[in-house]
């Protein structure tokens, strides 16, 4: 054939090489791998939503403490989200060294589904592995324009309540149970309590998946008249977003919320971080840890180590516990929050 | 045209102007007003908000947001993910388009439909399937974890989810154009002795290069902006598995609004740059190919994820 293939069109070749050039540049971007020259040990703490500020300061303190006592440089990674969602992630393979979640049930779920830690994990550290506690309070707009002073007032007409979803958020489960406990005390029967909680949840216009999402909905987006929140989250919102706009209302009765901590044995053994992770959690119970917890609006289990001015912020009110009123988390979870449980039922009922 | 009008007076050499129709002015003006109002409400205002919020505490605070190591890590991860996902989808898109447009085989329609799946599926599901496939509870995932290969809640999972959601773009933009061009030129090349690859790289590809580039731009925009699917597989470890969109959410949740909007402004700039590149490519392709058939079909529109 008398056809020669010399340069069919110089233009084409150039533009093709342009395409190839883009490809090469794009691929070259892959080479510097994002890993931070892993020379030191890293600990991954998977936590729930409102602990961000606490652990940021606590981690700094612990890194320094560890450096001084062992000479070893460590780094601590954090992951935050709704407690149920975080537990789910650990079950699905997020390799946390320690879990610091909003309630014991979520850690029980990890123990049952993965065997990454023993079933009696809660007995390994003092106070049922709970270094700090909190209660459920109300956050309202400045001046309390709707006159919300106790749980009963929430059911007044025209009031919109903001709380996260109890299916995904630990804080929301405490909210729900606190409301239930109040109605139980006030009206004396489970049936009345159920009616009370049903009415309450029908007044919720936005059900976020985590506590911080709800705080933003209430504070930033200005939706709702009252936010049911962790005491620590309410104080933090007040501090971050201005005491001119909001105020905290403490109801006559609340629930003692105990967010526990644990190491995930299988993961720490794999990473060789068991000792480090254990001491990290024990440091939460140390005077430094307790002082930081109180500073970040958590009620320390050893108040003697906290700054007295921090403690003054916590009013003394009647508190019920999950064990006394609800027979423990396993029972409460099965009754109220499992699929088809009371929460699912009341959510489908008409008010 | 005949008109029922008295014979027109002579027009003294002036060019005949069509009689003004009342609707001819009012309707376009109305439509433009409505469109502008709509755009202002849904596009310009949010765009302006991003930048005003980002700069609310001055430029120094804005710049400081970029010195946070976690922010830099998020930017690096976003670039890395795009740098892996886009070339892979480019190669896949070209293969698929080549096969579909130039060859006849059974199941061709099915293949086209399959390519569209990521566009039809909600991003949450796109992430969830990888958790189910590679998570600690699946057989495969448990094996991999035992072998110390972490897919989910690590960079590989984020890359996989991003590849999935950006898979259709290059193929989708290229196929219609390749099909429209037919196979005559290829047949001519083959008759003249060119091999299949020579034909592809010298005839087929140059003919569709603008469509391919357009697909790459859209693919890249989505890869860098994807939130939903990546959020599910990320594990949200600060400084490790947060891409830029996820980092925006984290900063926002930490009451760090200036930094959140600073990062959001970066994503917005990326979107604006995408638009610019897109119009350049459209312009070039129109110049390169005046024949309307070979213009870039715009089947898929760029929808960068909304920030915050």
């Amino acid at each position: 054939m008398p056809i020669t293939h010399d340069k069919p069109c110089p233009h084409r070749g150039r533009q093709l090489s342009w395409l190839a050039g883009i490809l090469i540049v794009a691929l070259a971007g892959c080479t510097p791998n994002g890993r931070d020259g892993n020379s030191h040990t890293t600990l991954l703490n998977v936590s729930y939503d409102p602990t961000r500020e606490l652990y940021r300061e606590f981690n700094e303190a612990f890194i320094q403490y560890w450096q001084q006592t062992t000479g070893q440089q460590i780094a601590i990674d954090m992951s935050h989200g709704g407690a149920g969602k975080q537990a789910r992630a650990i079950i699905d393979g997020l390799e946390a060294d320690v879990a610091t979640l909003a309630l014991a049930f979520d850690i029980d779920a990890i123990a049952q589904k993965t065997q990454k830690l023993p079933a009696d994990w809660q007995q390994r550290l003092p106070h049922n592995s709970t270094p700090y506690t909190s209660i459920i309070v109300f956050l309202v707009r400045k001046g309390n324009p709707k006159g919300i002073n106790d749980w009963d007032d929430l059911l007044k007409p025209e009031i919109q309540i903001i709380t996260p979803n109890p299916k995904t958020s630990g804080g929301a489960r405490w909210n729900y149970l606190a409301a239930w406990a109040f109605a139980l005390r006030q009206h004396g029967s489970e049936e009345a309590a159920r009616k009370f909680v049903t009415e309450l949840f029908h007044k919720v216009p936005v059900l976020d998946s985590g506590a911080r999402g709800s705080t933003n909905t209430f504070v930033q987006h200005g939706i709702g008249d009252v936010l049911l929140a962790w005491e620590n989250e309410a104080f933090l919102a007040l501090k971050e977003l201005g005491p001119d706009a909001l105020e905290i209302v403490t109801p006559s009765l609340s629930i003692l919320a105990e967010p526990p901590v644990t190491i995930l044995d299988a993961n720490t053994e794999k990473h060789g971080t068991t000792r480090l992770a254990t001491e990290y959690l024990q440091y939460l119970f140390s005077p430094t840890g307790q002082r930081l917890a109180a500073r970040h609006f958590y009620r320390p289990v050893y108040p003697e180590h906290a700054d007295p001015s921090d403690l003054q912020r916590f009013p003394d009110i009647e508190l019920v516990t999950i064990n006394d009123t609800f027979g423990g988390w396993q029972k409460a979870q099965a009754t109220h929050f499992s699929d088809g449980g009371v929460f699912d039922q009341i959510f489908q009922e008409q008010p | 045209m005949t008109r029922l009008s008295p014979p027109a007076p002579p027009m003294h050499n002036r060019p005949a102007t069509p009689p003004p129709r009342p609707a001819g002015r009012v309707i376009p003006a109305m439509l433009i007003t409505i469109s502008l109002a709509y755009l202002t409400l849904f596009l310009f205002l949010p765009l302006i908000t991003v930048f005003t919020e980002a700069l609310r505490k001055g430029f120094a605070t804005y710049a400081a947001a970029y010195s946070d190591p976690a922010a830099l890590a998020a930017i690096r991860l976003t670039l890395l993910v795009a740098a892996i996902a886009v070339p892979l989808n480019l190669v896949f898109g070209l293969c698929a388009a080549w096969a579909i447009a130039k060859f006849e085989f059974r199941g061709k329609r099915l293949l086209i439909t399959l390519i569209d799946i990521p566009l039809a599926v909600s991003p949450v599901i796109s992430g969830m399937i990888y958790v189910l496939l590679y998570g600690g509870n699946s057989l495969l995932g448990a094996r991999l974890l035992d072998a110390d290969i972490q897919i989910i809640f690590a960079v590989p999972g984020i890359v996989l989810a991003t590849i999935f959601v950006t898979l259709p773009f290059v193929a989708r933009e290229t196929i219609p154009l390749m099909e429209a061009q037919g196979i005559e030129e290829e047949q001519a090349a083959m008759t003249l002795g060119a091999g299949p690859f020579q034909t592809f790289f010298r005839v087929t590809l140059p003919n569709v290069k603008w469509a391919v580039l357009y697909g790459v731009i859209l693919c890249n925009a989505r890869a860098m902006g994807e939130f939903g699917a990546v959020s599910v597989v990320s594990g949200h470890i600060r400084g490790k598995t947060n891409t830029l969109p996820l980092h925006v959410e984290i900063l926002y949740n930490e009451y760090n609004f200036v930094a959140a909007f600073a990062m959001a402004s970066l994503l917005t700039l990326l979107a604006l740059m995408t638009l610019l590149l897109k119009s350049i490519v459209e312009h070039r392709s129109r110049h390169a190919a005046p024949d309307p058939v070979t213009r870039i079909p715009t089947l898929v529109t760029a929808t960068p994820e909304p920030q915050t």
Side-chain angles (χ1 to χ4, degrees), chain B:
Chain B
M1 293 277 167
T2 51
R3 279 177 186 231
L4 287 177
S5 52
M11 287 293 280
H12 303 302
N13 287 342
R14 266 195 290 155
T17 45
R21 282 172 305 169
R25 293 243 178 88
V26 176
I27 290 187
M30 219 167 72
L31 290 177
I32 290 171
T33 316
I34 291 175
S35 313
L36 274 181
Y38 195 81
L39 280 176
T40 309
L41 201 61
F42 291 103
L43 192 68
F44 300 142
L45 279 182
L47 267 181
I48 295 166
T49 312
V50 168
F51 288 98
T52 45
E53 286 287 327
L55 291 167
R56 201 168 55 176
K57 289 187 184 160
F59 190 77
T61 327
Y62 177 81
Y66 291 95
S67 59
D68 174 14
L72 293 178
I75 294 171
R76 216 179 304 130
L77 179 62
T78 305
L79 291 177
L80 173 74
V81 169
I84 298 171
V86 176
L88 282 179
N89 278 333
L90 172 62
V91 172
F92 162 79
L94 285 179
C95 290
W98 191 13
I100 287 168
K102 306 289 178 183
F103 297 94
E104 284 304 323
F105 56 93
R106 285 170 70 180
K108 193 162 148 175
R109 289 292 126 195
L110 182 69
L111 182 58
I112 297 178
T113 314
L114 287 179
I115 291 174
D116 277 348
I117 283 183
L119 289 177
V121 163
S122 158
V124 180
I125 310 298
S126 314
M128 216 89 94
I129 48 177
Y130 287 102
V131 174
L132 290 178
L133 194 58
Y134 296 109
N137 285 323
S138 74
L139 269 179
L140 182 59
R143 293 271 158 76
L144 287 171
L145 280 177
D146 284 343
D148 215 8
I149 300 172
Q150 180 96 19
I151 306 266
I152 297 306
F153 309 121
V155 176
I158 296 173
V159 172
L160 283 177
T162 308
I163 290 176
F164 181 84
V165 295
T166 58
L167 181 146
F169 291 97
V170 175
R172 236 21 208 120
E173 293 300 325
T174 314
I175 291 168
L177 181 57
M178 265 198 192
E179 277 185 329
Q181 285 176 340
I183 54 170
E184 288 83 2
E185 285 190 40
E186 280 82 359
Q187 279 171 338
M190 298 279 231
T191 331
L192 296 175
F197 285 98
Q198 202 176 12
T199 310
F200 179 74
F201 283 109
R202 295 210 160 164
V203 178
T204 313
L205 192 56
N207 274 339
V208 295
K209 58 177 180 289
W210 295 113
V212 172
L213 198 57
Y214 188 72
V216 165
I217 291 169
L218 292 186
C219 181
N220 184 60
R222 182 69 190 268
M224 290 188 174
E226 176 59 24
F227 178 84
V230 168
S231 174
V232 176
V233 297
S234 145
H236 304 275
I237 305 166
R238 204 188 175 92
K240 289 247 168 92
T241 63
N242 275 324
T243 60
L244 207 43
L246 299 183
H247 194 60
V248 171
E249 190 203 23
I250 285 202
L251 291 170
Y252 186 77
N253 279 345
E254 288 173 358
Y255 304 118
N256 199 344
F257 302 120
V258 169
F261 281 101
M263 294 298 124
S265 73
L266 199 63
L267 282 166
T268 312
L269 284 177
L270 171 80
L272 293 177
M273 221 150 78
T274 305
L275 283 181
L276 183 74
L277 281 175
K278 196 180 115 187
S279 39
I280 290 176
V281 167
E282 270 171 356
H283 181 76
R284 291 288 299 267
S285 73
R286 215 164 293 150
H287 274 252
D291 175 9
V293 173
T294 50
R295 271 191 208 156
I296 290 175
T298 44
L299 285 179
V300 186
T301 35
T303 46
E305 291 279 309
Q307 268 75 55
T308 63

Side-chain angles (χ1 to χ4, degrees), chain A residues 171-184:
Chain A
R173 272 174 266 178
W174 291 113
N175 290 347
Y176 172 105
L177 293 175
W180 189 283
F182 170 82
L184 201 59

Side-chain angles (χ1 to χ4, degrees), chain A residues 11-246:
Chain A
H11 216 58
R12 276 186 182 171
R14 207 182 63 211
Q15 272 157 352
L16 265 183
S17 64
W18 196 50
L19 262 181
I22 293 179
L23 227 158
I24 289 165
V25 170
L27 282 172
C30 304
T31 34
N33 200 329
R35 292 276 154 198
D36 45 6
N38 260 329
S39 57
H40 45 62
T41 315
T42 305
L43 206 61
L44 175 57
N45 177 357
V46 172
S47 193
Y48 62 112
D49 242 346
T51 55
R52 297 161 195 266
E53 292 75 15
L54 166 65
Y55 279 112
R56 189 176 307 141
E57 204 176 343
F58 176 78
N59 288 349
E60 272 172 33
F62 181 74
I63 288 169
Q64 210 179 359
Y65 162 81
W66 192 254
Q67 162 100 55
Q68 278 163 6
T69 47
T70 67
Q72 196 188 3
Q73 277 273 7
I74 57 156
I76 299 167
D77 287 333
M78 292 303 304
S79 170
H80 294 277
K85 186 178 136 203
Q86 295 291 74
R88 184 74 240 175
I90 294 175
I91 292 167
D92 283 333
L94 180 58
E95 295 216 328
D97 297 289
V98 301
T100 53
L101 296 180
L103 44 87
F105 180 80
D106 285 326
I107 299 179
D108 282 341
I110 301 170
Q112 280 164 13
K113 293 214 166 83
T114 68
Q115 280 84 45
K116 284 196 172 179
L117 69 168
D120 64 345
W121 61 272
Q122 215 169 356
Q123 309 312 319
R124 297 191 292 188
L125 287 166
H127 286 271
N128 276 331
S129 298
T130 307
Y132 40 78
T133 64
S134 194
I135 65 170
I136 299 302
V137 299
F138 306 156
L139 193 64
V140 298
R141 314 246 172 242
K142 188 73 188 175
N144 198 356
K146 299 278 167 104
I148 298 164
N149 297 310
D150 207 350
W151 292 97
D152 269 340
D153 299 325
L154 297 179
L155 298 192
K156 284 198 254 179
E158 303 294 304
I159 284 186
Q160 285 195 325
I161 303 162
I162 303 293
T163 166
N165 187 345
K167 301 286 268 190
T168 53
S169 156
R173 272 174 266 178
W174 291 113
N175 290 347
Y176 172 105
L177 293 175
W180 189 283
F182 170 82
L184 201 59
R185 186 196 70 175
Q186 205 76 349
H187 307 293
S189 76
E190 294 277 335
E191 207 170 302
R194 182 187 169 126
K195 187 164 166 286
F196 183 87
V197 173
T198 306
E199 274 183 55
L200 191 151
F201 271 90
H202 280 111
K203 292 163 113 17
V204 179
V206 184
L207 211 54
D208 288 288
S209 71
R212 191 52 63 85
S214 282
T215 310
N216 277 333
T217 297
F218 181 73
V219 177
Q220 282 295 304
H221 310 158
I223 298 173
D225 302 302
V226 52
L227 172 75
L228 308 187
W230 296 95
E231 185 180 43
N232 55 282
E233 181 75 356
F235 272 117
L236 183 72
L238 220 58
K239 179 181 146 206
E240 292 285 335
L241 301 154
D244 324 326
L246 305 162

